[in-house]
Amino acid sequence: MKLADLKGKTVGVCVSGGLDSKTICCVLQDAGVKVKAFSANVGQPDEKDINDIKKKMAPTGVDTTIVDVTKEMADICFETVKCQAMYDGGYWNSTGIARAVTVQALLPVMKKAGCTVLVHGATGRGNDQMRFERYTNVLDPKFGVYAPWRDSDLLKLFPGRTEMVAFLAKRGITAFVGTKKKYSTDANLAGLSHEAEDLESMETSMRIVKPTMGVWPEKAPNKVEKVTLSFVKGRCVAVNGKKMSPLEVMLEMNKVGGRNGIGMKHALENRIIGTKSRGVYEAPGMEVLSWGLKYIYEGIMDRRSTLLFQQLSKLVSDQIYDGRWFDPATQAARAAIQVWADKATADVTLGLYKGNIFFESLKGLKATIYNEADSSMEASNGLNPHSSQGFAEIQSVEAKMLAKSGQIVAK
C-alpha cells in the first residue's frame, strides 16, 4: 500500500508522540487522508504520564486515543512465564509480547472510530513491521495496513531525522534532533529492550545501557533478599503471603527483582527477516517469576515430560517472536503446557542477590514425583539398591553388542 492509496480514507496511526509519529500524521493529512491517532498503555516504566503522548501529538492537529491494556499485558506476561518462553540468548521478548496485546486492543477501537487502515511507524529492517502486519491480518483480514517506512516515496523525502525536523518546522511544530542517543529503547510492563546506535557495534559493552527497571548487579544491596511466591496452576497469586492480581504481582516483582540487579540479558538474536540484531534486555519481574515456576516444574516433570515441555516452550517463544501468538500451533502448545501447569501449585522461596537467584525452599507441592527416600545416599525405605543390578545387566547387552560390532569409536 502506498500513500496515494490512502487518499479519502480514515486511518488509525499507532503513535508514541515522537518525531516519527508527528511526521507521519502530518504527511498523511497533507495527502488528503483523515487521520486519527492511537496509543496503548502497556505499562511503560519509562513513561511518567501516558497522557503526555496526547500533548505531544496535539500540535499536529490529530486527536489521540489512549487505550489501557495493562491488565492484558500482565495476563500475557503470566502466560509467557507459564510457558517459560524465552527467545535467543535466553531473554524475555517483551516487545513481541506487547505487540499481540496492542494490536488486539487497538483494532476494535480504530474500527469504532471509522478507521479502515492501521498505520505503524516500524522500520522496514526490523521485526515489528511483521508483527503489526500479521496481527492485523489474522485478527481482521479486511483491515488494511500501511507501513510509511517501507514506502519508497516517503523514504526519499525523509532519509533521516534532520529532514523530519525541517518538515515539521515549516508547519510551526517545534522538534529537536538532539544529541545522538547511545541506543533506542522500547518499554512495557514485561520489560525493556535496548538496541541500535552504539549497541550495533560488537566492540561496545552492553553496560553502556542505564537500567530503567533496576540496577546493574554491583549496585544492588549487599545482602540476600528472600521472596516467597505462591503459585496456583502455574500462575503466581501471592507474594510473601499477600494475595495480588497479575498486574500487582508484575509491578511488585519488577520492583523487587530490579533493585537486586535481576534480569539483565544480552542477545545477538536472529530476526524474523533473517538478519542478526543485537539487544540488551531487562525484565526483572519475568525472570524472578520464571525461576520460581521452574523449580516447581522440576518437581512434577519426569524425563519425557521435561523434554516435551522444552520443545513446546521453544515453539511458543518462536511464535511470540514471529508475531504468531494467536496461531493454532501456539494455542495447541499452550494447551499442552497447561497439563503440567495444572499441577504447579506450591509455595517457592527464592533468594535474590546481585543479579543471582538462589533456591531457598519449596513447600506444598502435592504433585511432586520427588521422593527423598528414593534418592538418598543413606539407608532408607526407598529404592532397593539391589534392584538396579537387573537394569544394569539389561543395559550391558546393547553396550557390549555395539562394541563387538565395531560401531563404537573412541577418539
Side-chain angles (χ1 to χ4, degrees):
M1 186 176 288
K2 303 281 286 185
L3 180 60
D5 300 327
L6 301 176
K7 187 173 182 179
K9 295 184 178 181
T10 301
V11 305
V13 185
C14 299
V15 301
S16 63
L19 183 60
D20 283 37
S21 297
K22 294 175 182 176
T23 301
I24 290 170
C25 285
C26 289
V27 167
L28 288 168
Q29 290 179 102
D30 288 349
V33 182
K34 188 174 182 180
V35 180
K36 297 186 178 182
F38 300 85
S39 187
N41 177 7
V42 289
Q44 303 93 315
D46 61 344
E47 192 80 57
K48 293 181 179 179
D49 185 355
I50 193 69
N51 289 307
D52 285 344
I53 294 177
K54 290 185 177 181
K55 298 176 183 178
K56 293 175 182 177
M57 294 304 299
T60 67
V62 176
D63 290 328
T64 303
T65 299
I66 296 177
V67 182
D68 189 337
V69 295
T70 49
K71 290 183 179 179
E72 291 83 354
M73 272 300 304
D75 188 69
I76 200 171
C77 285
F78 269 39
E79 289 302 302
T80 304
V81 166
K82 185 189 292 180
C83 297
Q84 302 279 291
M86 290 179 281
Y87 194 61
D88 275 4
Y91 76 91
W92 296 99
N93 183 218
S94 55
T95 305
I97 294 169
R99 296 303 177 244
V101 173
T102 297
V103 178
Q104 184 180 32
L106 293 188
L107 273 180
V109 182
M110 288 183 177
K111 288 178 68 176
K112 189 174 181 179
C115 301
T116 58
V117 177
L118 179 146
V119 180
H120 65 81
T123 174
R125 292 179 175 173
N127 295 311
D128 278 340
Q129 57 172 332
M130 302 304 173
R131 293 166 182 157
F132 275 115
E133 193 135 351
R134 181 170 178 80
Y135 282 134
T136 302
N137 290 338
V138 298
L139 294 173
D140 193 335
K142 295 181 179 179
F143 213 84
V145 181
Y146 174 60
W149 305 128
R150 293 205 309 258
D151 189 326
S152 56
D153 293 335
L154 261 68
L155 290 173
K156 289 178 183 177
L157 287 173
F158 305 107
R161 295 174 66 82
T162 301
E163 289 78 11
M164 293 185 205
V165 171
F167 169 77
L168 292 174
K170 291 179 180 179
R171 304 175 68 96
I173 300 174
T174 303
F176 302 95
V177 175
T179 56
K180 183 180 179 182
K181 292 175 63 178
K182 291 184 177 180
Y183 50 85
S184 64
T185 298
D186 190 284
N188 59 63
L189 181 68
L192 288 87
S193 59
H194 310 283
E195 61 181 12
E197 305 296 350
D198 289 5
L199 285 175
E200 290 175 354
S201 170
M202 291 306 297
E203 295 183 5
T204 301
S205 169
M206 67 181 284
R207 292 170 59 78
I208 68 167
V209 170
K210 182 179 179 181
T212 299
M213 301 178 83
V215 296
W216 285 106
E218 73 272 15
K219 293 185 178 180
N222 291 317
K223 62 178 182 179
V224 176
E225 179 176 357
K226 293 184 180 181
V227 59
T228 298
L229 306 174
S230 299
F231 285 87
V232 173
K233 294 188 175 183
R235 293 169 69 94
C236 183
V237 298
V239 176
N240 293 329
K242 181 180 179 181
K243 291 185 178 180
M244 295 183 179
S245 68
L247 179 56
E248 290 172 331
V249 170
M250 283 303 302
L251 292 172
E252 178 66 12
M253 296 321 300
N254 278 339
K255 186 190 306 180
V256 174
R259 66 177 174 235
N260 285 288
I262 304 297
M264 298 298 297
K265 300 292 185 71
H266 177 276
L268 191 60
E269 69 196 62
N270 293 291
R271 276 182 171 168
I272 298 171
I273 59 176
T275 60
K276 279 280 190 179
S277 174
R278 183 197 186 191
V280 176
Y281 299 86
E282 46 183 306
M286 298 282 282
E287 189 74 2
V288 175
L289 289 170
S290 73
W291 275 93
L293 186 55
K294 177 179 180 292
Y295 288 130
I296 295 175
Y297 278 156
E298 287 179 353
I300 64 177
M301 291 187 188
D302 57 77
R303 283 177 59 199
R304 287 164 182 78
S305 288
T306 299
L307 175 59
L308 179 56
F309 178 86
Q310 290 170 345
Q311 294 169 338
L312 293 171
S313 176
K314 184 180 185 307
L315 186 147
V316 173
S317 172
D318 289 348
Q319 294 287 90
I320 290 173
Y321 195 84
D322 292 354
R324 295 172 177 268
W325 177 256
F326 303 107
D327 281 23
T330 315
Q331 302 313 308
R334 289 178 58 204
I337 287 172
Q338 189 62 45
V339 171
W340 295 295
D342 281 341
K343 303 293 188 296
T345 297
D347 294 332
V348 60
T349 299
L350 306 174
L352 313 181
Y353 179 71
K354 291 186 176 296
N356 296 289
I357 299 177
F358 304 118
F359 175 86
E360 297 288 343
S361 68
L362 178 62
K363 299 178 180 179
L365 183 57
K366 294 182 179 179
T368 182
I369 58 174
Y370 172 68
N371 181 9
E372 292 181 29
D374 287 339
S375 60
S376 177
M377 298 298 181
E378 305 297 330
S380 70
N381 294 321
L383 176 69
N384 185 341
H386 297 295
S387 299
S388 296
Q389 179 61 35
F391 185 67
E393 291 177 1
I394 291 173
Q395 292 267 53
S396 70
V397 174
E398 179 189 45
K400 291 178 179 178
M401 288 307 299
L402 284 171
K404 291 177 180 178
S405 66
Q407 292 190 44
I408 299 297
V409 179
K411 295 184 179 179

Short mmCIF file of all heavy atoms in Angstrom, two decimals, residues 69-102:
data_model
loop_
_atom_site.label_atom_id
_atom_site.label_comp_id
_atom_site.label_asym_id
_atom_site.label_seq_id
_atom_site.Cartn_x
_atom_site.Cartn_y
_atom_site.Cartn_z
N VAL A 69 -4.19 -1.15 28.45
CA VAL A 69 -4.13 -2.61 28.32
C VAL A 69 -3.17 -3.22 29.34
O VAL A 69 -2.60 -4.28 29.13
CB VAL A 69 -3.70 -3.03 26.89
CG1 VAL A 69 -4.75 -2.62 25.87
CG2 VAL A 69 -2.35 -2.42 26.52
N THR A 70 -2.98 -2.53 30.46
CA THR A 70 -2.04 -3.01 31.47
C THR A 70 -2.47 -4.36 32.06
O THR A 70 -1.63 -5.22 32.34
CB THR A 70 -1.88 -1.99 32.61
OG1 THR A 70 -3.17 -1.57 33.07
CG2 THR A 70 -1.11 -0.76 32.12
N LYS A 71 -3.78 -4.56 32.23
CA LYS A 71 -4.25 -5.85 32.75
C LYS A 71 -3.99 -6.96 31.74
O LYS A 71 -3.59 -8.07 32.12
CB LYS A 71 -5.74 -5.77 33.09
CG LYS A 71 -6.05 -4.90 34.31
CD LYS A 71 -7.54 -4.92 34.64
CE LYS A 71 -7.84 -4.08 35.86
NZ LYS A 71 -9.29 -4.07 36.19
N GLU A 72 -4.23 -6.65 30.46
CA GLU A 72 -3.98 -7.64 29.42
C GLU A 72 -2.49 -7.95 29.30
O GLU A 72 -2.09 -9.09 29.04
CB GLU A 72 -4.51 -7.13 28.08
CG GLU A 72 -6.03 -7.06 27.98
CD GLU A 72 -6.63 -5.80 28.58
OE1 GLU A 72 -5.87 -5.01 29.19
OE2 GLU A 72 -7.83 -5.61 28.46
N MET A 73 -1.66 -6.93 29.51
CA MET A 73 -0.21 -7.14 29.48
C MET A 73 0.22 -8.06 30.61
O MET A 73 1.04 -8.96 30.42
CB MET A 73 0.53 -5.80 29.60
CG MET A 73 0.77 -5.08 28.30
SD MET A 73 1.78 -6.02 27.12
CE MET A 73 3.26 -6.35 28.07
N ALA A 74 -0.33 -7.83 31.80
CA ALA A 74 0.02 -8.68 32.94
C ALA A 74 -0.38 -10.12 32.68
O ALA A 74 0.36 -11.06 33.00
CB ALA A 74 -0.67 -8.17 34.21
N ASP A 75 -1.53 -10.31 32.04
CA ASP A 75 -2.01 -11.67 31.76
C ASP A 75 -1.10 -12.39 30.78
O ASP A 75 -0.75 -13.56 30.98
CB ASP A 75 -3.44 -11.62 31.21
CG ASP A 75 -4.04 -13.01 31.09
OD1 ASP A 75 -4.32 -13.63 32.13
OD2 ASP A 75 -4.21 -13.49 29.95
N ILE A 76 -0.68 -11.70 29.71
CA ILE A 76 0.18 -12.36 28.73
C ILE A 76 1.58 -12.59 29.30
O ILE A 76 2.26 -13.55 28.94
CB ILE A 76 0.25 -11.56 27.41
CG1 ILE A 76 0.73 -12.47 26.26
CG2 ILE A 76 1.14 -10.33 27.51
CD1 ILE A 76 0.62 -11.85 24.89
N CYS A 77 1.99 -11.74 30.25
CA CYS A 77 3.26 -11.98 30.94
C CYS A 77 3.18 -13.29 31.72
O CYS A 77 4.10 -14.11 31.68
CB CYS A 77 3.58 -10.82 31.90
SG CYS A 77 4.15 -9.31 31.12
N PHE A 78 2.07 -13.49 32.43
CA PHE A 78 1.87 -14.71 33.20
C PHE A 78 1.85 -15.94 32.29
O PHE A 78 2.42 -16.98 32.63
CB PHE A 78 0.57 -14.62 33.99
CG PHE A 78 0.72 -14.04 35.37
CD1 PHE A 78 1.58 -12.99 35.60
CD2 PHE A 78 0.00 -14.55 36.44
CE1 PHE A 78 1.73 -12.45 36.87
CE2 PHE A 78 0.14 -14.03 37.71
CZ PHE A 78 1.01 -12.97 37.93
N GLU A 79 1.17 -15.82 31.16
CA GLU A 79 1.08 -16.95 30.24
C GLU A 79 2.45 -17.27 29.63
O GLU A 79 2.79 -18.44 29.40
CB GLU A 79 0.06 -16.65 29.14
CG GLU A 79 -1.38 -16.64 29.63
CD GLU A 79 -1.77 -17.97 30.27
OE1 GLU A 79 -1.67 -19.01 29.60
OE2 GLU A 79 -2.17 -17.96 31.46
N THR A 80 3.24 -16.24 29.36
CA THR A 80 4.57 -16.44 28.80
C THR A 80 5.50 -17.10 29.81
O THR A 80 6.28 -18.00 29.48
CB THR A 80 5.17 -15.10 28.33
OG1 THR A 80 4.28 -14.49 27.40
CG2 THR A 80 6.52 -15.29 27.67
N VAL A 81 5.40 -16.67 31.07
CA VAL A 81 6.18 -17.29 32.15
C VAL A 81 5.76 -18.75 32.31
O VAL A 81 6.59 -19.63 32.51
CB VAL A 81 5.99 -16.52 33.47
CG1 VAL A 81 6.51 -17.34 34.65
CG2 VAL A 81 6.74 -15.18 33.41
N LYS A 82 4.46 -19.01 32.23
CA LYS A 82 3.95 -20.37 32.36
C LYS A 82 4.60 -21.29 31.32
O LYS A 82 4.90 -22.45 31.59
CB LYS A 82 2.43 -20.39 32.19
CG LYS A 82 1.79 -21.75 32.44
CD LYS A 82 0.32 -21.74 32.04
CE LYS A 82 -0.49 -20.86 32.96
NZ LYS A 82 -1.93 -20.85 32.59
N CYS A 83 4.83 -20.73 30.14
CA CYS A 83 5.46 -21.50 29.06
C CYS A 83 6.98 -21.41 29.10
O CYS A 83 7.66 -22.07 28.30
CB CYS A 83 4.97 -20.98 27.70
SG CYS A 83 3.21 -21.17 27.41
N GLN A 84 7.53 -20.62 30.02
CA GLN A 84 8.99 -20.42 30.12
C GLN A 84 9.56 -20.03 28.74
O GLN A 84 10.63 -20.48 28.33
CB GLN A 84 9.68 -21.69 30.62
CG GLN A 84 9.18 -22.18 31.98
CD GLN A 84 9.80 -21.43 33.16
OE1 GLN A 84 10.99 -21.55 33.45
NE2 GLN A 84 8.99 -20.62 33.82
N ALA A 85 8.82 -19.20 28.02
CA ALA A 85 9.12 -18.92 26.61
C ALA A 85 10.10 -17.77 26.42
O ALA A 85 9.71 -16.63 26.16
CB ALA A 85 7.82 -18.61 25.85
N MET A 86 11.38 -18.09 26.53
CA MET A 86 12.46 -17.13 26.30
C MET A 86 13.04 -17.32 24.91
O MET A 86 13.14 -18.45 24.42
CB MET A 86 13.54 -17.27 27.36
CG MET A 86 13.10 -16.81 28.74
SD MET A 86 14.39 -17.02 29.98
CE MET A 86 14.24 -18.78 30.31
N TYR A 87 13.48 -16.23 24.29
CA TYR A 87 14.00 -16.31 22.92
C TYR A 87 15.53 -16.39 22.92
O TYR A 87 16.15 -16.59 23.96
CB TYR A 87 13.50 -15.11 22.11
CG TYR A 87 13.70 -15.26 20.61
CD1 TYR A 87 13.10 -16.31 19.91
CD2 TYR A 87 14.52 -14.39 19.90
CE1 TYR A 87 13.30 -16.47 18.55
CE2 TYR A 87 14.73 -14.53 18.54
CZ TYR A 87 14.11 -15.58 17.86
OH TYR A 87 14.32 -15.74 16.52
N ASP A 88 16.13 -16.23 21.75
CA ASP A 88 17.59 -16.36 21.58
C ASP A 88 18.37 -15.71 22.73
O ASP A 88 18.14 -14.57 23.09
CB ASP A 88 18.01 -15.66 20.28
CG ASP A 88 17.86 -16.56 19.07
OD1 ASP A 88 17.37 -17.68 19.23
OD2 ASP A 88 18.24 -16.13 17.96
N GLY A 89 19.32 -16.47 23.26
CA GLY A 89 20.14 -15.93 24.33
C GLY A 89 19.46 -16.01 25.68
O GLY A 89 19.99 -15.55 26.68
N GLY A 90 18.26 -16.62 25.70
CA GLY A 90 17.55 -16.78 26.97
C GLY A 90 17.00 -15.50 27.54
O GLY A 90 17.06 -15.27 28.75
N TYR A 91 16.44 -14.63 26.68
CA TYR A 91 15.88 -13.38 27.19
C TYR A 91 14.37 -13.34 26.95
O TYR A 91 13.83 -14.04 26.10
CB TYR A 91 16.56 -12.17 26.53
CG TYR A 91 16.12 -11.90 25.11
CD1 TYR A 91 15.06 -11.04 24.84
CD2 TYR A 91 16.76 -12.51 24.03
CE1 TYR A 91 14.65 -10.80 23.54
CE2 TYR A 91 16.36 -12.27 22.73
CZ TYR A 91 15.30 -11.41 22.50
OH TYR A 91 14.88 -11.18 21.21
N TRP A 92 13.70 -12.47 27.70
CA TRP A 92 12.26 -12.32 27.58
C TRP A 92 11.94 -11.32 26.49
O TRP A 92 12.32 -10.16 26.57
CB TRP A 92 11.66 -11.88 28.92
CG TRP A 92 11.86 -12.92 29.96
CD1 TRP A 92 12.82 -12.94 30.92
CD2 TRP A 92 11.12 -14.14 30.12
NE1 TRP A 92 12.72 -14.08 31.68
CE2 TRP A 92 11.69 -14.83 31.21
CE3 TRP A 92 10.02 -14.70 29.45
CZ2 TRP A 92 11.20 -16.06 31.64
CZ3 TRP A 92 9.54 -15.93 29.87
CH2 TRP A 92 10.11 -16.59 30.96
N ASN A 93 11.22 -11.77 25.47
CA ASN A 93 10.91 -10.94 24.31
C ASN A 93 9.73 -10.02 24.63
O ASN A 93 8.61 -10.20 24.15
CB ASN A 93 10.61 -11.82 23.10
CG ASN A 93 10.35 -11.03 21.84
OD1 ASN A 93 9.50 -11.40 21.04
ND2 ASN A 93 11.07 -9.95 21.65
N SER A 94 10.00 -9.02 25.46
CA SER A 94 8.95 -8.12 25.94
C SER A 94 8.25 -7.37 24.81
O SER A 94 7.03 -7.17 24.84
CB SER A 94 9.55 -7.11 26.93
OG SER A 94 10.66 -6.41 26.37
N THR A 95 8.99 -6.97 23.78
CA THR A 95 8.39 -6.24 22.67
C THR A 95 7.43 -7.13 21.89
O THR A 95 6.33 -6.72 21.53
CB THR A 95 9.48 -5.70 21.72
OG1 THR A 95 10.41 -4.91 22.48
CG2 THR A 95 8.87 -4.84 20.64
N GLY A 96 7.84 -8.36 21.61
CA GLY A 96 6.98 -9.28 20.88
C GLY A 96 5.69 -9.57 21.64
O GLY A 96 4.61 -9.69 21.04
N ILE A 97 5.78 -9.69 22.97
CA ILE A 97 4.61 -9.92 23.79
C ILE A 97 3.63 -8.76 23.66
O ILE A 97 2.42 -8.94 23.48
CB ILE A 97 5.01 -10.09 25.28
CG1 ILE A 97 5.85 -11.36 25.48
CG2 ILE A 97 3.78 -10.14 26.17
CD1 ILE A 97 6.49 -11.44 26.84
N ALA A 98 4.17 -7.55 23.75
CA ALA A 98 3.32 -6.35 23.75
C ALA A 98 2.61 -6.12 22.43
O ALA A 98 1.49 -5.58 22.41
CB ALA A 98 4.18 -5.13 24.09
N ARG A 99 3.21 -6.50 21.32
CA ARG A 99 2.57 -6.25 20.02
C ARG A 99 1.26 -7.02 19.87
O ARG A 99 0.30 -6.53 19.29
CB ARG A 99 3.53 -6.61 18.87
CG ARG A 99 4.79 -5.75 18.82
CD ARG A 99 4.47 -4.26 18.73
NE ARG A 99 5.70 -3.47 18.75
CZ ARG A 99 6.03 -2.61 19.70
NH1 ARG A 99 5.22 -2.43 20.73
NH2 ARG A 99 7.16 -1.93 19.63
N ALA A 100 1.23 -8.24 20.39
CA ALA A 100 -0.01 -9.03 20.32
C ALA A 100 -1.13 -8.33 21.07
O ALA A 100 -2.26 -8.21 20.58
CB ALA A 100 0.23 -10.42 20.89
N VAL A 101 -0.81 -7.86 22.27
CA VAL A 101 -1.80 -7.17 23.10
C VAL A 101 -2.23 -5.85 22.47
O VAL A 101 -3.41 -5.52 22.43
CB VAL A 101 -1.22 -6.91 24.51
CG1 VAL A 101 -2.16 -6.05 25.33
CG2 VAL A 101 -0.96 -8.23 25.23
N THR A 102 -1.25 -5.10 21.96
CA THR A 102 -1.52 -3.78 21.40
C THR A 102 -2.47 -3.84 20.20
O THR A 102 -3.48 -3.14 20.15
CB THR A 102 -0.21 -3.10 20.96
OG1 THR A 102 0.62 -2.89 22.12
CG2 THR A 102 -0.48 -1.76 20.30
#
